[in-house]
Amino acid sequence: MDSRDSSGLERSLRSIRDRIDSRLPELIPSEDLPPVTLHRSMRHSLLSPGKRIRPIVTVLTAQTLGASPDAALDPACAVEMVHAASLILDDLPFMDDATERRGKPANHVIFGQDIATLAAVSLLNQAYAVLTDAPDLDVDSRLALLRELTKIIGEGGIVSGQVHDLELTGQTDPCPNHLERMARQKTGALFDVCARMG
């Protein structure tokens, strides 16, 4: 790839990320709406600066296969909501006990464990709502996207991956198969669904 191709790709990725960053705040309640603390907590995690790799994969896959990037935008944002929710839960003291995320205080450090947990649940549910209302998609497509996303969240995906992660806590020489299963379910499943939804 020569430098012209590389700079063109960078511009394309930046453009997609900018569209995602502009759309995300429109899809969740304003922080001025009650309950204010809940909405501020949701926005703190969802809108914090990030690479937006997962939603970009969704939009790029759709574009590559000839679909409208506009139609892929809201499903891509729904994926980012799920990702943000998983990070909130992952950071909690009874999970991975992280106090920072992306260079900022973790959600529960600012808002408390109770509000952080409720914010994660709200973001998951908002992701479902965004998919069911996604413009430029017919009902069958919306249901198919919803089915794909919900399948990777539960016991066969992210939740299972987190359980495996907890089981590895304190192990000095974890089983490679256990590590692979955790990575496949906790991280890989979300990347997989990004491409499938796209």
Side-chain angles (χ1 to χ4, degrees):
M1 179 183 293
D2 67 30
S3 60
R4 286 171 302 179
D5 291 340
S6 177
S7 62
L9 177 61
E10 286 175 21
R11 279 196 305 275
S12 176
L13 294 177
R14 194 177 311 116
S15 172
I16 294 169
R17 189 178 64 229
D18 289 346
R19 292 193 66 209
I20 291 162
D21 283 336
S22 295
R23 184 62 174 148
L24 283 171
E26 298 173 350
L27 293 172
I28 57 171
S30 162
E31 63 179 31
D32 299 326
L33 289 175
V36 168
T37 307
L38 174 66
H39 295 149
R40 287 183 180 165
S41 176
M42 292 169 68
R43 294 174 78 88
H44 170 82
S45 291
L46 182 64
L47 305 181
S48 68
K51 298 184 184 89
R52 309 292 188 225
I53 295 172
R54 290 156 189 83
I56 287 172
V57 167
T58 303
V59 174
L60 279 178
T61 304
Q63 281 182 311
T64 301
L65 297 175
S68 161
D70 292 336
L73 183 60
D74 280 11
C77 289
V79 167
E80 188 68 3
M81 289 177 187
V82 170
H83 179 53
S86 74
L87 297 181
I88 294 172
L89 295 173
D90 196 46
D91 289 341
L92 288 169
F94 51 84
M95 294 288 188
D96 283 357
D97 194 16
T99 57
E100 283 193 1
R101 175 63 67 178
R102 295 174 177 165
K104 295 168 65 174
N107 198 297
H108 69 273
V109 172
I110 298 173
F111 299 100
Q113 295 180 53
D114 47 3
I115 295 297
T117 302
L118 293 172
V121 172
S122 295
L123 282 168
L124 285 174
N125 282 282
Q126 189 64 20
Y128 306 147
V130 165
L131 284 180
T132 59
D133 292 335
D136 304 320
L137 294 172
D138 59 39
V139 172
D140 288 341
S141 296
R142 292 175 187 172
L143 284 174
L145 291 170
L146 188 60
R147 189 177 302 111
E148 289 289 341
L149 193 60
T150 55
K151 272 196 319 195
I152 63 96
I153 292 172
E155 56 80 29
I158 297 172
V159 171
S160 262
Q162 184 64 37
V163 170
H164 292 308
D165 192 2
L166 292 171
E167 290 171 350
L168 290 169
T169 302
Q171 290 189 26
T172 55
D173 190 21
C175 167
N177 289 338
H178 203 145
L179 284 170
E180 182 186 346
R181 187 164 53 244
M182 180 199 73
R184 189 172 60 246
Q185 291 182 318
K186 192 172 176 182
T187 304
L190 197 50
F191 275 109
D192 180 59
V193 85
C194 291
R196 291 173 63 85
M197 287 174 67

